[in-house]
Amino acid sequence: MVQLERNLLMDLEDAGSRAQFLIRERDPQCTGTFDALMADADVKIVTTGIQVPQMDSLMERWIQTCGAELLDRPLI
């Protein structure tokens, strides 16, 4: 998990982009090392609520709607 995070941070740096927030679940795979690397990169970690199992599906639906409504329009 930590290696994936390092790769993500390097890819963002290569693209000239920067993440400000990371929304993640309360998963035991995300260790203290994971949080420390994000803190070193000045990324604020926001954890999901404890009793919010439907949050993932709601956010996926919201992102899909934004893509369909905003990005499918031709830009002139």
Side-chain angles (χ1 to χ4, degrees):
M1 196 68 181
V2 174
Q3 185 60 43
L4 290 173
E5 178 186 9
R6 286 185 185 132
N7 293 344
L8 172 66
L9 292 173
M10 286 190 295
D11 290 345
L12 286 174
E13 185 178 317
D14 290 344
S17 183
R18 184 179 158 310
Q20 293 180 346
F21 299 100
L22 172 71
I23 300 173
R24 70 169 176 87
E25 297 176 338
R26 298 174 184 268
D27 193 358
Q29 288 182 346
C30 300
T31 61
T33 308
F34 184 87
D35 294 340
L37 281 173
M38 283 296 178
D40 289 343
D42 293 328
V43 176
K44 183 178 179 190
I45 297 174
V46 180
T47 55
T48 59
I50 295 172
Q51 296 183 356
V52 190
Q54 295 89 4
M55 182 179 279
D56 289 339
S57 62
L58 292 174
M59 291 309 298
E60 287 175 10
R61 176 62 186 205
W62 183 79
I63 291 170
Q64 180 183 9
T65 301
C66 286
E69 294 295 324
L70 302 174
L71 301 177
D72 287 349
R73 306 278 192 276
L75 298 175
I76 297 174

